[in-house]
Amino acid sequence: MNNADDVLIGLDPEQRAVAEAVRGPVCVLAGAGTGKTRAITHRIAYAVRSGVVDAQSVLAVTFTTRAAGELRQRLRALGAPGVQARTFHAAALRQLTYFWPRVIGGDAPSIIESKLPVLAEACRQVRRTPERSELRDIAAEVEWAKVTQVGPEDYVAAAAKHHRTPPIPVEELARLYEAYEQIRRERHLLDFETILELTAAVMTEHREVAAQIRQQYRYFVVDEYQDVNPLQKLLLDTWLGGRDDVCVVGDPNQTIYSFTGASPRYLTGFAVEHPDAAVIKLVRDYRSTPQVVDLANLVIAKGRSPHRLELVAQRPDGPRPAFSDYDDEPAEAAGVARAIRKLLDQGVHSREIAVLFRVNSQSEAYEEALSKAGIPYVLRGAERFFERPEVRQAVVLLRGAARSASGEPLASEVHHILAGVGLTPSPPGGGKAREKWESLKALADLAEDLAAEGGDLPAFVAELERRASEQHAPPVEGVTLASLHAAKGLEWDAVFLVGVTDGMLPIIYAETPEQIEEERRLLYVGVTRAREHLSISWALARAPGGRKSRRPSRFLDGLTGRAAAPPRAAAAPRERRQVAAPVSCRVCAKTLVAAAEQKLGRCSTCPADYDEALLERLKAWRTTMAKETKVPSYVIFTDVTLQAIAERAPATEQELRAIPGVGKVKIDRFGEAVLSLCRA
């Protein structure tokens, strides 16, 4: 392409309006499947090729390394190869590292990938021994505080203002936060939040640094702007330095990370911050059939957001979304596996099928069902492709072979090398062996694609290294199993949304109207991942023979073609307040006063008779549930409640309900799992 106008060919009217709005401020409200990446890359390329801006003066910022890599790849194809496309952290770290010797001096600090080791040491300093799940919850709370610019001294007040529920008392978390920061500074360490904070501080305190960076970058594009947090916004404003040549792109319907500190108000309030901004809406959906788009519009229309975008489908008609209920979770998983087998028999590739769920712990039933059906699957969000042992081993062997030319055709040579680490002509049955085989097969397929373009082994190794740096994994054959959060930004021909019940979606811990609305948007994200086939299902009970007390998600009311489940009856008003009877110790018969003793049913000094193995099983289960549902462990059950369960070892739901701290909501959500552990 030589003519700048060539870049505009093939764009729809709204995408073209984005591309031609070459000067900021510009706000692009882009619905799911409307081609936002296409629009913003063509805008950058058009601005560069028409001489509005030099490619080296553009900084395109996004949230993942893979998304940044895709932007660079598309811009190269459009004739704008010099544009910088990076994540917030990568761009800030590059600048901070460059200016460190000049403005700070000495060795640059080390970057920590995880806060957990430093936090563990901070816990030892304050004489606390947390479980690993609790440590992760503490780390998440510290990250929230840092991205919202709340220091240790202000954390207690901020936590109360924002209705935070930290895993430990707020005063103790504030002390841990302070200890973490002290250790980090003493050890000369930077975490991801401090990278952004320091970069902004260096620019603010050193005018010559700010001038040089602003001289370099004059033209900004920020993708996924609905997910920007206050710290990222601070850095962006510092980069801009009062200028307004910025284009932001996002979808208010896909705001699903508020719990991490992300705020959609920067997107929805952009036109208020910049009154002269051009606001362009992309609503033509090229991804999904009208049937899928109609359902997505209905899901979001029932919400409370004033900023929703109504999509307009551009594809031909397809099948109507299917709604299915099952007696229990194993039956639901088996039914989904049968439906997937039917799609495979119709010619749909397994890599174009996804099973999406609210929390990762739901995947186990589908892993088992797909394995039994002989259907390969891939767990997304587990281990990154290029970090898998078999892939790392293969890349090392390929890199070594590339140093000495053999003269053998690329595809043949790669197949020969991969055969030595487990690639066979036909796949094994299932499980880990099948996962390993699929990884190696993906490398072999990529080699065949490059061979068709005339590439050799050194070029193939270079391509693998580029993809590894950008986390751009080759497509792996297999049904994708992923959480709804992990599925954002992806799409498949067929999507199965499973476990869509009240208590799971919305999750039981979503209590405020804002939290409920975010759960609705999560369902919307799931629906809009489907191009053609969409199935939504739920199970009425957790296990076979269990009480069928579940109901489909309230978000589906009026959408399934079935009568909505009757609302739960309100409790009858009481004429007078009931006073609880005194609780006596079951060991010494003394009246119990302390809440913890009442929950245990004995004095704290009386001997306890319980199964230690059961208590360990209960704690391990709670840890898993807390991790998967992204809540503190104590929200599932407190330590005292688990101790009481272990001591009483309830065999029936009635016995479990008799334990203080185990109410109806927790019986519905966790009762069968707890009773199963007790019976074991």
Side-chain angles (χ1 to χ4, degrees), residues 279-300:
V279 179
I280 305 167
K281 295 183 179 180
L282 301 182
V283 296
R284 299 176 195 247
D285 188 314
Y286 297 97
R287 174 187 299 161
S288 305
T289 62
Q291 288 72 19
V292 173
V293 169
D294 288 347
L295 180 61
N297 285 335
L298 287 171
V299 166
I300 210 70

Side-chain angles (χ1 to χ4, degrees), residues 58-135:
V58 181
L59 180 57
V61 188
T62 188
F63 278 78
T64 66
T65 303
R66 178 171 183 176
E70 183 180 353
L71 285 177
R72 289 194 293 271
Q73 187 174 355
R74 292 200 189 194
L75 288 166
R76 281 195 296 268
L78 290 170
V83 172
Q84 294 293 313
R86 299 182 180 276
T87 65
F88 272 101
H89 293 105
L93 181 59
R94 191 165 184 257
Q95 294 168 12
L96 189 62
T97 303
Y98 180 81
F99 288 105
W100 189 276
R102 183 195 309 180
V103 300
I104 299 176
D107 295 333
S110 301
I111 310 300
I112 56 175
E113 296 290 333
S114 169
K115 292 180 174 63
L116 298 188
V118 180
L119 274 173
E121 185 166 345
C123 286
R124 288 193 291 272
Q125 286 189 3
V126 300
R127 298 181 180 179
R128 183 177 187 90
T129 309
E131 295 178 357
R132 188 165 181 82
S133 62
E134 186 180 67
L135 198 61

Side-chain angles (χ1 to χ4, degrees), residues 340 343-354 375-376 475-480 492-494 531 533:
I340 290 174
L343 287 175
L344 294 174
D345 292 342
Q346 292 172 358
V348 180
H349 289 292
S350 60
R351 66 170 175 262
E352 291 296 348
I353 302 173
I375 299 172
V476 177
E477 199 61 46
V479 173
T480 299
W492 296 269
D493 285 345
R531 298 191 190 107
H533 304 279

Side-chain angles (χ1 to χ4, degrees), residues 383-395 436:
E383 194 173 31
R384 290 181 173 180
F385 179 84
F386 286 101
E387 293 173 1
R388 297 176 186 175
E390 64 272 16
V391 174
R392 293 169 64 182
Q393 182 184 13
V395 170
K436 176 180 177 180

Side-chain angles (χ1 to χ4, degrees), residues 320-400:
R320 295 178 62 183
F323 299 91
S324 307
D325 57 29
Y326 295 89
D327 287 342
D328 50 66
E329 289 181 4
E332 183 181 11
V336 168
R338 287 193 299 271
I340 290 174
R341 171 56 65 191
K342 186 176 180 181
L343 287 175
L344 294 174
D345 292 342
Q346 292 172 358
V348 180
H349 289 292
S350 60
R351 66 170 175 262
E352 291 296 348
I353 302 173
V355 179
L356 307 181
F357 30 75
R358 176 61 177 84
V359 296
N360 287 327
S361 60
Q362 293 172 275
S363 74
E364 185 176 354
Y366 296 90
E367 294 176 54
E368 184 177 348
L370 292 175
S371 293
K372 285 182 179 179
I375 299 172
Y377 62 85
V378 178
L379 276 171
R380 184 169 182 84
E383 194 173 31
R384 290 181 173 180
F385 179 84
F386 286 101
E387 293 173 1
R388 297 176 186 175
E390 64 272 16
V391 174
R392 293 169 64 182
Q393 182 184 13
V395 170
V396 168
L397 294 174
L398 290 165
R399 190 181 293 123

